[in-house]
Amino acid sequence: MFSSNFHNFILNTDSYKTSHWQQYPPNTEYVSSYIEARGGQNSFESVMFFGLQAFIKEYLTKPISQSNIDEAKIIFQAHGVPFNQTGWQRLIEKHGGFLPLRIQAIPEGMVIPTGQVLCQVVNTDPEFYWLTSYIETSLLRAVWYPSTVASLSYYCKQIIKAGLEKSADNLDGLAFKLHDFGARGVSSLESAGLGGLAHLINFLGTDTVVALVAASRWYGMKDTLAGFSIPAAEHSTMTAWGREFEADAYANMLKQFGGQGQTVAVVSDSYDLWKAIDNIWGNELKSQIETMGGTLVIRPDSGDPIKVVREALQRLGAKFGTTINSKGYKILPNYVRLIQGDGINPSSIGKIIDAVLEAGFSLDNLAFGMGGGLLQQVNRDTLGWAMKTSSARVDGYWRDVYKDPITSVSKRSKRGRLALVHHQGSYMTVREDELAEHNNLLQDVFLNGELLIDDDLTVIRERALQK
């Protein structure tokens, strides 16, 4: 049979793509395609572009080899689809196995309205007109997922920021207000790395360790960690003590991880959250919490998050007391806080914040954790991602290529070689031949096997703040 080479780029496509080189008009020379987020069935009006650099480094800077071709030939022939063996052989002969493509894109971390061109691809050698669309499967997948997670995380950040601006003295804690709990809930290790890293453009808190590896591997964070975490309990470590020794389990957490400047999180709903707050944290262990010099973060993990968070804050306030900040909202002592990590999504965050503020508490008292809602409950339709061909040169002349289905206006595609401009405070997609004096925000990122722009995460983070 054949070896299972998961990194054979020729196989990183859809089956029907293998026959497309025979379907273009005779004398096709160049094919130009673009990627956009058309907008989805949600409240996201903007998209944060991210992930292209990781894809280029991982897949496009390595040449196609003869063994790749040999393996692909066996698989595709057995699979029942054509294989352009001659074309791939010519790729090695003429270009050393590197793809003769030009990829343009907006800078990663940039936030723009949906419905605009984000990325554009065209072949640079007319013999390889078929390559542009061949990479659609891998390229579109490479950017839609991390960009969607980055956009969702950014959207949540704006909600949280607005809550802090209304109820807190400052925004000092914003970077740690949404913690990534999503590693176990995603479909693959690579998804955890890319999605977790996308979140770290907007926040600094994560339990997705592979996101730190991704930051180092693809985005220059070799000497600086991209995210941070704290010691935290799970139900197994707390319930292993037995119900009758729940207080001992909590006391052990303070003993092991408390201390001056230290923060420790303890899940507290294994049995009775209200008893844990009122009797154990607020009574039996109260003096230890007050004097340990660090911060205890109590984590509820069940029930209606809106009701649970509000009541938990009220009970903590009754036990530990509160002060009133400059905005007129209650603040718990610095040594006790709350984190809600169950049932968190873009919709519930806003509702929880409304309930907290309505109860008179500052958002400074609370942080959020998001798992599947952050890294897994997204798909290509969340923001309406698509890659479409918009122009082709045939017999020496460029022609518009587009779709305009009578049954769906939303799937109407753009025409011509494209550019993105910023004009009079808004972003607009225009034809490249109509740029005039405008600056094209699409930058050359990849050319014939070479990565042209290599941003580190710090630069991308700064860019994300510029909207």
Side-chain angles (χ1 to χ4, degrees):
M1 283 295 288
F2 49 83
S3 63
S4 299
N5 184 358
F6 213 66
H7 297 286
N8 184 343
F9 189 76
I10 302 176
L11 303 177
N12 194 350
T13 192
D14 289 312
S15 299
Y16 80 143
K17 292 287 189 182
T18 64
S19 66
H20 290 179
W21 101 93
Q22 295 175 314
Q23 299 179 27
Y24 286 95
N27 301 317
T28 298
E29 301 164 339
Y30 298 95
V31 174
S32 181
S33 299
Y34 71 96
I35 292 175
E36 70 172 321
R38 294 174 296 198
Q41 304 299 316
N42 51 55
S43 302
F44 301 171
E45 297 179 351
S46 299
V47 55
M48 177 182 288
F49 187 68
F50 182 68
L52 178 60
Q53 181 172 300
F55 172 71
I56 291 173
K57 284 186 174 182
E58 191 68 21
Y59 296 103
L60 300 190
T61 56
K62 302 175 178 66
I64 300 298
S65 67
Q66 185 62 50
S67 63
N68 293 152
I69 296 174
D70 295 341
E71 179 186 45
K73 177 181 178 181
I74 295 172
I75 291 176
F76 286 138
Q77 286 182 346
H79 187 46
V81 295
F83 177 54
N84 187 9
Q85 181 178 359
T86 301
W88 288 105
Q89 292 289 170
R90 289 288 292 160
L91 186 74
I92 292 179
E93 294 167 7
K94 291 188 70 176
H95 299 285
F98 292 101
L99 304 186
L101 293 173
R102 178 191 184 195
I103 301 178
Q104 299 170 290
I106 66 170
E108 298 199 25
M110 186 175 177
V111 180
I112 68 170
T114 56
Q116 307 300 327
V117 60
L118 301 169
C119 179
Q120 186 168 235
V121 189
V122 65
N123 56 295
T124 58
D125 182 335
E127 189 174 344
F128 299 92
Y129 61 89
W130 50 271
L131 263 181
T132 300
S133 288
Y134 193 92
I135 72 165
E136 175 188 353
T137 307
S138 58
L139 178 60
L140 182 59
R141 181 178 58 222
V143 298
W144 82 252
Y145 172 69
S147 295
T148 302
V149 174
S151 302
L152 186 156
S153 174
Y154 178 82
Y155 178 78
C156 292
K157 185 177 182 179
Q158 306 317 303
I159 297 173
I160 295 170
K161 181 181 178 182
L164 285 171
E165 288 175 336
K166 183 176 181 179
S167 69
D169 289 335
N170 54 62
L171 299 178
D172 291 351
L174 178 58
F176 289 96
K177 283 298 183 183
L178 184 61
H179 200 89
D180 173 12
F181 290 156
R184 72 189 61 184
V186 293
S187 57
S188 70
L189 180 68
E190 187 176 64
S191 295
L194 286 168
L197 180 56
H199 170 69
L200 289 176
I201 298 173
N202 302 297
F203 293 94
L204 295 176
T206 185
D207 263 31
T208 301
V209 178
V210 71
L212 311 180
V213 180
S216 175
R217 182 178 180 88
W218 298 316
Y219 287 91
M221 304 294 282
K222 297 187 181 300
D223 300 317
T224 305
L225 277 181
F228 306 91
S229 189
I230 59 173
E234 68 175 22
H235 286 108
S236 74
T237 61
M238 297 297 94
T239 56
W241 291 71
R243 185 166 190 155
E244 65 275 23
F245 296 107
E246 183 180 14
D248 293 335
Y250 294 168
N252 182 64
M253 290 296 294
L254 299 181
K255 176 183 177 182
Q256 298 294 339
F257 306 110
Q260 189 66 40
Q262 302 301 307
T263 301
V264 55
V266 184
V267 62
S268 303
D269 74 325
S270 296
Y271 310 110
D272 185 336
L273 174 64
W274 310 131
K275 177 183 175 183
I277 291 176
D278 294 343
N279 298 345
I280 302 178
W281 294 127
N283 186 17
E284 189 172 344
L285 300 178
K286 182 180 179 182
S287 62
Q288 292 175 238
I289 297 167
E290 292 172 335
T291 59
M292 73 173 180
T295 301
L296 166 68
V297 181
I298 297 171
R299 178 165 71 92
D301 197 46
S302 55
D304 181 340
I306 299 172
K307 295 178 180 178
V308 168
V309 168
R310 181 175 55 217
E311 185 170 348
L313 287 174
Q314 290 170 333
R315 287 174 180 260
L316 287 170
K319 287 296 181 178
F320 292 96
T322 60
T323 56
I324 303 298
N325 67 13
S326 65
K327 301 289 181 65
Y329 287 86
K330 299 175 185 176
I331 295 285
L332 292 167
N334 290 335
Y335 49 75
V336 63
R337 289 291 182 264
L338 198 72
I339 183 169
Q340 177 65 32
D342 180 60
I344 299 302
N345 56 55
S347 175
S348 67
I349 283 181
K351 294 176 181 177
I352 292 169
I353 292 174
D354 288 344
V356 167
L357 270 58
E358 185 179 328
F361 284 86
S362 169
L363 189 52
D364 256 342
N365 298 291
L366 175 67
F368 299 96
M370 194 186 301
L374 178 64
L375 301 190
Q376 186 68 16
Q377 292 173 18
V378 297
N379 57 48
R380 191 163 66 90
D381 293 331
T382 301
L383 283 168
W385 289 89
M387 178 171 168
K388 298 297 177 185
T389 297
S390 58
S391 188
R393 198 174 89 169
V394 182
D395 275 329
Y397 295 95
W398 285 97
R399 60 174 64 167
D400 288 353
V401 180
Y402 62 94
K403 60 183 289 188
D404 190 6
I406 194 173
T407 51
S408 179
V409 174
S410 66
K411 289 198 172 185
R412 181 183 297 159
S413 63
K414 294 174 168 54
R415 309 180 187 190
R417 284 278 298 164
L418 303 175
L420 181 73
V421 300
H422 189 250
H423 180 61
Q424 295 182 345
S426 64
Y427 293 95
M428 296 185 299
T429 299
V430 299
R431 298 175 67 100
E432 192 177 61
D433 53 16
E434 296 175 353
L435 264 173
E437 76 282 0
H438 294 296
N439 178 44
N440 187 2
L441 297 176
L442 295 180
Q443 304 173 347
D444 285 345
V445 179
F446 173 85
L447 184 64
N448 302 334
E450 182 182 357
L451 177 69
L452 303 180
I453 296 177
D454 190 355
D455 283 337
D456 63 35
L457 185 62
T458 302
V459 170
I460 293 171
R461 282 170 165 167
E462 292 172 353
R463 190 175 291 138
L465 294 173
Q466 294 173 6
K467 185 177 183 296

